[in-house]
Amino acid sequence: MQPAADHISIREKICYGLGDSSANIFFGMTMMFLPYFYTDVVGLTASAMGALFLIARLVDAFSDPIIGNFADRHETKHGHYRPFLLYLAIPYGLSCFLVFLAPDLSYTGKLIYAFVTYIFLILMYASTVVPYVGLLSVLTDNPAERLSINSYRFPLAKSAFLLCSAVVPMFVATYDKAHEAQAYSHAMIIIGILAACCTLACFFGTKERSHPLIVKDENDTLFSKIKIIAKTRTLRSFYIFFALTQAAFTFKGSSAIYYAKYYLAQNDAYLTGLLSAFSIAGIVAPIVSMWLIRKKVFNKLAMLRVATLGAAITAVPILIVPPEHYLLSSLFLILSTFFGELGIVVYWALPADCADMCQLKFNKKMAGVLGAVALFSQKFAMSLVGAGIGLILTFVSYQPGAAITPAVASGILAITAALPIACHVISYYFLNQYDLDEAAVRKIHLELAGLYAQAEQADR
């Protein structure tokens, strides 16, 4: 038994990154457009939308560890994680289309349809993305190479995000208001096909190499792995940090359409530009982050600290700058997004490091479960954020298309800046509790290399 190869080709890194392009198509369209689509196009109330996000996301989030554990424990000729990408690519693409179909039904029918299609979408997303996250741990055992893979992955992912943020609003704007629902459904035909193609490219272009040294254990259950996560401070701290970071990101992304159209009183073209700037920040930031790490300006965890504090500090002026200075206010929102994205290369690589720690310390294959719990943290945060946005907009009496009152303006500022700032500040505390630093990771890999050597000698 051998550890995975140290060097991964650029082609394979790109193919792996296309898997996250597919995930970001889902992430982009649901975060940027779905709240607006449900309230202003379908006609659901803000409170109903909040309840939908909360219930559906919680159901979905609890399925993630089950999927991850199943992938960890079952191997096919294609490996543990890649088969999910092959068999579920087309259902996933179809689900992207169905959620934006908006059939002409009664209000109750629309609500039921929204629940069914949204749950189908997020279950298809989970069933492809949970194995996708686990796949990184078996592409290579080299932590530096994992960072390098992510340096290709996230610009590709954010390019898909940019595609959603730029093309979809421009496409929808070519239709009149009376046919807005039809515009979204037509746009999502293309988006769904693209999502399925990117998922298939990830399957065909990658290879599972690493085969952890695991001794069979009858108690190797999902519950036993969850107990390890719960009792290990390193893992607990990471997932709380991760959830809060995702909450901050989701608040900013989900509120942008309300912030641009209502608080700043700008048109659809400005909204397109703002969302495109978010995506460009997401493309540039991982490249900058990787360059700073390679130049040893920051190590991985220091880069995360800079990203987290920078995102909080640059969001503060948004609360102060009046809406008539919309360019300056938007600049700070883009800067806050940029700083937040600086950490993305690192924190999505940490579950693989945690999996190595669990292999050494607990003799457990946990890449799928750890990736699933990262997604659980993300979705749990998104469910609370989605519900929170609905509740806040309901509390301030938001009405689609109506004049903005001071209360509504305050509510929009809360979800755009105040709550993201709070999430970043609290997440910084938990980041400092995470102790799997560079030295600890090197020690783990040296010990694992020794175990591999012993196993190889025993096999001869």
Side-chain angles (χ1 to χ4, degrees):
M1 302 179 72
Q2 294 290 337
D6 284 344
H7 180 71
I8 303 298
S9 70
I10 292 176
R11 175 184 174 276
E12 187 166 359
K13 291 175 182 177
I14 290 172
C15 287
Y16 181 76
L18 288 174
D20 210 10
S21 295
S22 177
N24 267 263
I25 288 171
F26 158 86
F27 199 58
M29 71 180 189
T30 56
M31 186 177 68
M32 289 187 292
F33 303 119
L34 203 53
Y36 173 82
F37 179 79
Y38 278 151
T39 58
D40 288 43
V41 179
V42 177
L44 301 183
T45 64
S47 58
M49 177 195 71
L52 166 60
F53 284 160
L54 179 62
I55 294 170
R57 285 287 189 181
L58 288 175
V59 169
D60 168 53
F62 282 100
S63 69
D64 285 353
I66 298 173
I67 296 169
N69 189 56
F70 183 87
D72 283 340
R73 292 173 60 87
H74 295 84
E75 186 172 16
T76 72
K77 65 179 181 180
H78 299 302
H80 285 273
Y81 309 109
R82 291 171 61 248
F84 292 85
L85 306 178
L86 174 64
Y87 298 125
L88 297 178
I90 292 175
Y92 169 54
L94 180 64
S95 70
C96 293
F97 164 70
L98 290 176
V99 79
F100 281 92
L101 191 56
D104 185 15
L105 303 170
S106 66
Y107 181 83
T108 302
K110 290 178 179 178
L111 187 60
I112 293 172
Y113 181 84
F115 263 93
V116 172
T117 55
Y118 187 56
I119 289 173
F120 178 52
L121 169 65
I122 57 180
L123 287 176
M124 289 301 97
Y125 173 79
S127 298
T128 54
V129 174
V130 168
Y132 172 80
V133 174
L135 178 59
L136 178 63
S137 68
V138 294
L139 293 180
T140 177
D141 292 322
N142 187 332
E145 196 67 7
R146 288 170 180 169
L147 280 180
S148 178
I149 292 170
N150 278 347
S151 72
Y152 285 83
R153 166 188 177 184
F154 290 109
L156 287 167
K158 296 305 177 180
S159 295
F161 201 85
L162 176 60
L163 179 69
C164 286
S165 64
V167 175
V168 172
M170 287 191 294
F171 182 86
V172 171
T174 63
Y175 289 69
D176 57 48
K177 186 69 176 177
H179 297 90
E180 194 172 16
Q182 187 180 29
Y184 274 104
S185 67
H186 289 172
M188 292 306 158
I189 292 174
I190 301 170
I191 293 296
I193 292 171
L194 186 60
C197 289
C198 287
T199 303
L200 289 172
C202 182
F203 167 79
F204 286 109
T206 58
K207 180 180 179 181
E208 296 189 21
R209 297 177 180 83
S210 179
H211 302 283
L213 295 164
I214 302 295
V215 177
K216 294 296 183 181
D217 182 358
E218 293 181 358
N219 294 319
D220 185 24
T221 63
L222 174 59
F223 182 69
S224 70
K225 295 173 182 177
I226 298 298
K227 282 178 63 178
I228 288 172
I229 295 171
K231 74 180 184 181
T232 306
R233 190 185 74 165
T234 299
L235 301 177
R236 288 199 314 269
S237 300
F238 168 70
Y239 288 118
I240 296 172
F241 159 79
F242 188 88
L244 289 167
T245 299
Q246 295 303 309
F249 183 79
T250 307
F251 268 123
K252 293 175 198 174
S254 296
S255 64
I257 193 166
Y258 299 104
Y259 182 71
K261 293 188 71 169
Y262 297 116
Y263 183 78
L264 299 181
Q266 299 301 307
N267 57 25
D268 287 337
Y270 188 86
L271 171 64
T272 298
L274 182 62
L275 295 178
S276 298
F278 283 4
S279 299
I280 292 169
I283 294 169
V284 174
I287 298 171
V288 173
S289 176
M290 197 64 198
W291 182 83
L292 291 170
I293 292 171
R294 282 174 175 161
K295 293 294 183 180
K296 301 189 184 302
V297 177
F298 301 108
N299 61 31
K300 289 194 299 186
L301 295 187
M303 189 75 259
L304 271 185
R305 293 186 182 99
V306 169
T308 303
L309 284 181
I313 292 169
T314 51
V316 172
I318 299 169
L319 299 171
I320 303 169
V321 176
E324 54 265 29
H325 298 297
Y326 59 90
L327 289 175
L328 181 60
S329 185
S330 298
L331 175 62
F332 281 111
L333 184 54
I334 294 165
L335 281 174
S336 181
T337 302
F338 174 80
F339 270 99
E341 296 282 9
L342 282 175
I344 197 169
V345 169
V346 178
Y347 64 67
W348 274 109
L350 295 185
D353 290 344
C354 293
D356 294 334
M357 179 194 74
C358 291
Q359 180 189 343
L360 179 66
K361 188 173 180 180
F362 304 109
N363 191 41
K364 300 282 189 182
K365 182 177 177 62
M366 291 181 58
V369 170
L370 292 172
V373 175
L375 289 167
F376 170 88
S377 302
Q378 180 187 54
K379 293 174 183 179
F380 183 76
M382 290 176 70
S383 69
L384 293 182
V385 169
I389 289 174
L391 289 173
I392 290 170
L393 292 179
T394 300
F395 179 75
V396 299
S397 301
Y398 164 80
Q399 295 294 328
I404 296 301
T405 65
V408 172
S410 297
I412 292 173
L413 276 183
I415 60 178
T416 305
L419 290 171
I421 291 168
C423 289
H424 283 308
V425 170
I426 298 170
S427 72
Y428 184 79
Y429 168 80
F430 285 100
L431 175 59
N432 287 327
Q433 304 301 307
Y434 178 84
D435 57 3
L436 204 57
D437 58 15
E438 308 279 339
V441 171
R442 282 196 299 270
K443 182 179 178 182
I444 287 169
H445 280 269
L446 284 173
E447 293 186 37
L448 285 174
L451 293 177
Y452 278 116
Q454 290 177 18
E456 184 179 358
Q457 289 179 353
D459 289 339
R460 289 177 179 174

